[in-house]
Amino acid sequence: MSEKQDLAQQKKEAAAKAKATALARKHAKEEAKEKPEGELNLLKQKAAAAAKAKAVALARKKAKEEAVEKPEGGLDLAKQKAAAAAKAKAAALARKKAKEEAVEKPEGGLDLAKQKAAAAAKAKAAALARKKAQEEAVEKPEGELDLAKQKAAAAAKAKVAALARKQESSDNDDDLEKAKAKAIAAAKVKAAAVAKARNSVMESKEDQIPDEPSPNQAKLDQIVHAIERNVGQEALIDHYINRLSKDVPTIVANPDTYFSIAKFLRYDEQLNFSYLSELHGTDFETHMEIYVHLHSFNMNQSVALKVKLDRDSPAIPSLVPLWSGANWPECEAYDLLGIHFHEHPDLKRILLGDDWKGYPLRKDYQPYDVEV
Amino acid sequence: MLRTEEMLLNVGPQHPSTHGVFRLVIKIDGEIIKEATPVIGYLHRGTEKLAENLQYTQIIPYTDRLDYLAAMTNNYVLCHAVETMMEMEIPDRAEYLRVIAMELGRVASHLVWWGTYLLDIGATSPFLYAFREREMIVNLLTELSGARLTFNYMRVGGVKWDAPEDWIEKVAEFVPYMREQLAGYHELVTGNEIFVNRVKGVGTYTKEEALQYSLSGANLRCTGVNWDLRKNEPYSIYDRFNFDVPTRTEGDAFSRYHCRMEEIEESLKILEQAVEQFPEGPVLAKVPKIIKVPKGEAFVRIESPRGEIGCYIASEGKKEPYRLKFRRPSFYNLQILPKLLEGENMSNLITILGAIDIVLGEVDG
């Protein structure tokens, strides 16, 4: 039942996304129509392509920095910035036009009227954009990020194109610089969005309001309450039902409370997660993550315990004192990812040789060969 | 009292009884093992790292090489993980083909274990019988997939192709034949006094220890834990079949022997029912040409002949997994070995190691 509904929802989302893309395409076409000169279009395209390529390259580099700089509100800020930039540009354009027109038609009255009209148009456009953004945000809470990204990209493109157009008339190097700067700014915005998107994969999943609560919701609540009561209110960073993974209740621990939570899960009489089914690490580039899959025969329920670690010096207490079965898996995580487990009885390179350089499962791993 | 000297002994990495490249460094005092340190990794091929640059369908052949005695189960666990994340509906006929292939694989795997285990502790003829029957299964699976061991038969959404004509009938014929042979095995070995003396009460651990060490499969069920993922967390179409989960309570090598032998019987039951219910229809769901798994992560686990095999996928919505991890039962099951060997007589070393039933391709990933 829930699967079907999920599917339906997914379909709906996909349709909505497709629609949005189509609309964006249509808009772009309309804009293109407004300025029918082929030359201009070509220039625009070229500029856009260049900006895009650069933006992508820059985005990759800056994503991390940006993510660190603006962990929250990054998107909002980005949006605001983009809006501000757009306004400023529009104003500049208006001014320039006004000047040109002033040369042509020196009557001040007309000028004023035009300016007013331009301002009004601006305001209207802004209002519309805001409204649209809001509507879309309401309609597609998950696709939002993607949309935001697309929009940012579209905006950046449009901006660059506009600049290019302007440039053609003035043929000024300054403008090119400006365009570059703008492109960089846009890329930053985009990168921030990407970083945010990556960081909030889990959050966004939680945001998905399921049509029907998961059958495991009650068990998740029970586990979470028990932990909060016994380990501390702040012990858990996050908890949710992972719908992709057969609805397994998933809890995200704080590195400081990871061990005490595990201990509680292991020895609490009601929960009694006596079986460690799986332990492994993953390099998510922004952080390292330990995934532990526990099973309780008492509750006939599995739970996924996760903890996020600092990527540069990943270290966490070992679970071997609680489950002897965690011994080799922790060695494996150490061997392949370089995660240190405190108080592990015998942390060693278990699969690779003792003289192996580096940690192969890290995303930035470079194979080391003496001969090369 | 005779003064003895502590000696360091290397078993392997090339030792006939390890059935692969596995090294065991043991300290012995006379004939008593003081300490045993397993050394693994000789067969590590970095499957998980390789998978990060492969499309999902391209990873399937790599899974064949993990547990090469039951490759169908490995094929399945990867497909199952992808299908779970994509919320895919699998055609019935495909599911039946998968279950038949996996259960045949389970029987073949247990037969290899049975034959080689007895060979290791000194009985030669059971090995010949076991491999005779196992060869029939291998032939069946070859007809189905085109390969003897590295099947690469399953696909995301179903199986590569339909079974050849008369194949199902051949499976149906095999089941009663195998049953008959199984009775012969019991007559030949199970009641044999020499054999029983070698394995009874050897390598014993308790239920708590089994859970503590994350053991699974027959290694767990021999202590009385009734736990089989086919029953307890049904996947595929296992909830459509009537079968029991054999358990024992002794926790010694003999009880693990019993569990595996009875599991062959249960697998035959499943095969019988699956052949009977075998439906018509497509064998592959409608799957996009390029499989992209939705963003997120999932961990699924299923019952392989050796225990709980799991597959974890972290996806970024691309055609390759961001991270792929196999929970390999042999790797987990082997952890308890140093504890079991401590204080044991040297002559029990192979009895204990063999009873765990490891496949080195899986231990090393």
Side-chain angles (χ1 to χ4, degrees):
Chain A
M1 195 44 191
S2 72
E3 274 176 20
K4 252 187 215 163
Q5 271 166 351
D6 274 4
L7 233 146
Q9 210 188 330
Q10 273 182 18
K11 264 189 208 163
K12 228 161 80 193
E13 282 161 23
K17 239 189 224 168
K19 226 184 193 170
T21 328
L23 233 145
R25 232 180 280 140
K26 208 174 153 193
H27 270 275
K29 244 190 223 166
E30 277 171 18
E31 272 174 20
K33 246 185 231 158
E34 277 169 34
K35 294 133 209 151
E37 292 93 342
E39 255 176 33
L40 262 176
N41 271 354
L42 230 145
L43 231 150
K44 246 190 272 170
Q45 275 173 21
K46 262 190 211 164
K52 225 186 186 174
K54 214 176 187 179
V56 171
L58 244 149
R60 238 177 261 145
K61 210 166 141 199
K62 287 252 166 95
K64 254 182 236 167
E65 290 167 24
E66 290 264 337
V68 175
E69 277 168 38
K70 314 163 202 146
E72 315 116 351
L75 251 174
D76 281 8
L77 238 150
K79 252 191 229 165
Q80 276 175 23
K81 259 194 210 163
K87 249 190 219 164
K89 205 187 277 156
L93 235 147
R95 238 176 282 134
K96 206 177 161 193
K97 240 190 219 167
K99 247 190 224 166
E100 282 169 15
E101 276 167 12
V103 176
E104 280 167 33
K105 303 158 203 143
E107 292 95 336
L110 243 170
D111 233 329
L112 230 144
K114 249 186 214 170
Q115 271 180 22
K116 258 190 210 166
K122 238 197 294 178
K124 223 180 185 175
L128 235 145
R130 232 175 288 134
K131 208 177 155 191
K132 230 190 231 172
Q134 252 170 14
E135 276 171 22
E136 274 167 12
V138 173
E139 275 169 36
K140 304 143 207 150
E142 303 107 2
E144 188 183 33
L145 270 172
D146 280 8
L147 243 152
K149 250 190 270 168
Q150 279 176 20
K151 258 194 216 161
K157 256 193 226 165
K159 234 185 252 168
V160 173
L163 260 153
R165 234 179 287 134
K166 213 170 153 192
Q167 205 190 316
E168 216 213 7
S169 54
S170 56
D171 216 355
N172 199 331
D173 278 355
D174 256 21
D175 279 356
L176 214 137
E177 286 306 307
K178 251 190 229 164
K180 265 189 206 164
K182 284 275 153 66
I184 289 167
K188 259 190 207 170
V189 172
K190 210 173 165 187
V194 171
K196 188 92 202 283
R198 184 174 291 170
N199 287 340
S200 62
V201 176
M202 291 305 129
E203 282 85 341
S204 70
K205 220 183 287 152
E206 205 192 7
D207 290 345
Q208 265 181 40
I209 297 148
D211 300 335
E212 187 183 303
S214 159
N216 286 340
Q217 188 64 46
K219 282 184 174 158
L220 174 66
D221 292 343
Q222 183 195 346
I223 295 164
V224 168
H225 286 152
I227 289 173
E228 282 179 349
R229 224 179 15 253
N230 293 284
V231 186
Q233 285 293 330
E234 307 294 314
L236 289 176
I237 294 177
D238 196 5
H239 57 86
Y240 53 88
I241 294 280
N242 188 350
R243 293 201 159 247
L244 285 179
S245 182
K246 299 189 176 180
D247 278 10
V248 67
T250 307
I251 53 179
V252 184
N254 207 315
D256 304 329
T257 54
Y258 166 70
F259 187 80
S260 35
I261 288 175
K263 193 172 173 186
F264 175 70
L265 291 174
R266 171 81 175 88
Y267 293 113
D268 182 72
E269 269 177 31
Q270 244 128 52
L271 303 179
N272 193 13
F273 282 90
S274 56
Y275 189 74
L276 179 133
S277 169
E278 160 78 349
L279 186 152
H280 70 252
T282 305
D283 176 10
F284 278 106
E285 284 169 284
T286 49
H287 61 275
M288 289 278 181
E289 190 175 280
I290 302 279
Y291 178 97
V292 187
H293 199 87
L294 301 171
H295 189 84
S296 162
F297 294 94
N298 269 20
M299 294 173 77
N300 193 19
Q301 178 62 45
S302 295
V303 69
L305 169 64
K306 305 210 300 178
V307 61
K308 291 176 182 172
L309 306 178
D310 173 31
R311 190 173 181 275
D312 298 321
S313 54
I316 196 85
S318 167
L319 293 185
V320 178
L322 306 176
W323 295 276
S324 307
N327 187 336
W328 285 14
E330 287 187 348
C331 284
E332 198 184 3
Y334 165 71
D335 192 358
L336 303 177
L337 283 158
I339 299 169
H340 287 264
F341 294 89
H342 300 310
E343 323 224 345
H344 188 286
D346 181 23
L347 199 64
K348 61 177 179 199
R349 291 252 183 204
I350 193 165
L351 296 174
L352 307 175
D354 290 330
D355 55 349
W356 195 277
K357 297 269 187 299
Y359 304 103
L361 278 183
R362 288 200 179 187
K363 290 287 176 181
D364 55 0
Y365 173 70
Q366 294 291 335
Y368 172 82
D369 193 337
V370 194
E371 314 253 317
V372 181
Chain B
M1 177 94 182
L2 203 67
R3 219 181 68 82
T4 53
E5 200 182 321
E6 201 171 83
M7 194 165 78
L8 202 73
L9 185 71
N10 253 309
V11 182
Q14 311 286 336
H15 187 276
S17 297
T18 56
H19 308 288
V21 269
F22 172 60
R23 179 168 159 230
L24 201 57
V25 183
I26 50 178
K27 272 188 198 149
I28 44 174
D29 182 3
E31 287 201 342
I32 304 300
I33 299 170
K34 290 282 170 205
E35 195 190 332
T37 317
V39 182
I40 61 170
Y42 294 95
L43 208 54
H44 179 65
R45 292 142 298 180
T47 310
E48 288 157 11
K49 180 72 180 174
L50 291 167
E52 286 174 12
N53 294 309
L54 294 170
Q55 296 182 18
Y56 290 98
T57 315
Q58 293 175 314
I59 304 168
I60 296 169
Y62 285 84
T63 66
D64 287 330
R65 285 145 182 89
L66 290 174
D67 177 356
Y68 40 74
L69 291 181
M72 284 293 184
T73 334
N74 304 354
N75 277 192
Y76 181 75
V77 75
L78 174 68
C79 296
H80 185 50
V82 175
E83 286 156 9
T84 306
M85 289 180 87
M86 294 176 80
E87 295 179 348
M88 212 179 261
E89 289 259 345
I90 313 302
D92 254 15
R93 192 177 170 90
E95 288 283 30
Y96 275 90
L97 278 168
R98 285 170 165 195
V99 165
I100 292 170
M102 282 195 282
E103 291 310 314
L104 281 173
R106 194 182 309 272
V107 175
S109 169
H110 283 340
L111 283 176
V112 172
W113 172 79
W114 183 75
T116 55
Y117 185 54
L118 283 152
L119 188 68
D120 289 347
I121 59 178
T124 323
S125 32
F127 176 78
L128 303 174
Y129 291 118
F131 269 63
R132 182 182 66 190
E133 269 72 80
R134 187 241 184 185
E135 194 60 26
M136 301 175 82
I137 298 178
V138 170
N139 284 340
L140 281 172
L141 293 177
T142 310
E143 272 183 54
L144 184 65
S145 70
R148 277 173 60 84
L149 290 178
T150 50
F151 308 115
N152 188 16
Y153 178 60
M154 299 203 190
R155 289 289 178 272
V156 173
V159 295
K160 189 162 56 172
W161 49 54
D162 204 348
E165 231 173 280
D166 297 340
W167 189 78
I168 287 296
E169 287 73 25
K170 282 182 195 165
V171 175
E173 278 164 31
F174 173 76
V175 172
Y177 169 79
M178 186 62 227
R179 240 183 223 137
E180 206 177 297
Q181 296 303 317
L182 201 61
Y185 293 177
H186 282 301
E187 257 173 60
L188 182 67
V189 176
T190 311
N192 186 306
E193 202 177 325
I194 305 169
F195 170 69
V196 173
N197 279 335
R198 286 295 306 272
V199 292
K200 204 165 188 181
V202 172
T204 311
Y205 48 79
T206 64
K207 177 180 161 184
E208 285 68 33
E209 283 165 343
L211 292 172
Q212 178 73 7
Y213 276 88
S214 297
L215 302 189
S216 54
N219 292 301
L220 180 61
R221 289 191 283 270
C222 72
T223 60
V225 181
N226 189 329
W227 183 251
D228 187 320
L229 292 168
R230 290 176 294 172
K231 267 264 193 270
N232 299 82
E233 286 180 7
Y235 53 91
S236 188
I237 46 164
Y238 277 107
D239 48 358
R240 299 187 195 172
F241 306 118
N242 274 323
F243 65 100
D244 298 318
V245 179
T247 56
R248 293 271 152 164
T249 50
E250 299 89 352
D252 59 355
F254 196 34
S255 62
R256 298 196 263 291
Y257 170 91
H258 275 300
C259 283
R260 296 206 176 95
M261 293 306 271
E262 283 165 35
E263 264 173 42
I264 296 182
E265 239 157 81
E266 299 307 320
S267 287
L268 292 177
K269 272 193 211 167
I270 296 175
L271 281 173
E272 210 168 36
Q273 294 166 54
V275 165
E276 219 168 82
Q277 301 168 16
F278 194 64
E280 288 295 326
V283 294
L284 194 61
K286 276 193 182 128
V287 185
K289 272 233 170 66
I290 291 181
I291 294 156
K292 284 186 183 167
V293 168
K295 218 178 222 178
E297 59 175 0
F299 175 71
V300 300
R301 43 185 196 157
I302 65 167
E303 192 75 25
S304 96
R306 257 151 283 281
E308 186 182 312
I309 188 167
C311 180
Y312 168 89
I313 293 179
S315 168
E316 290 217 301
K318 301 209 176 92
K319 52 188 194 293
E320 306 96 356
Y322 184 79
R323 167 91 162 102
L324 182 75
K325 172 78 173 72
F326 288 106
R327 190 251 192 228
R328 312 179 307 273
S330 293
F331 181 73
Y332 280 78
N333 290 347
L334 195 54
Q335 288 187 82
I336 201 173
L337 186 68
K339 182 185 150 34
L340 294 183
L341 290 181
E342 207 183 311
E344 275 288 344
N345 197 301
M346 263 300 285
S347 58
N348 284 340
L349 166 68
I350 296 304
T351 319
I352 292 171
L353 173 63
I356 298 176
D357 186 19
I358 51 164
V359 167
L360 268 305
E362 193 177 61
V363 172
D364 294 341

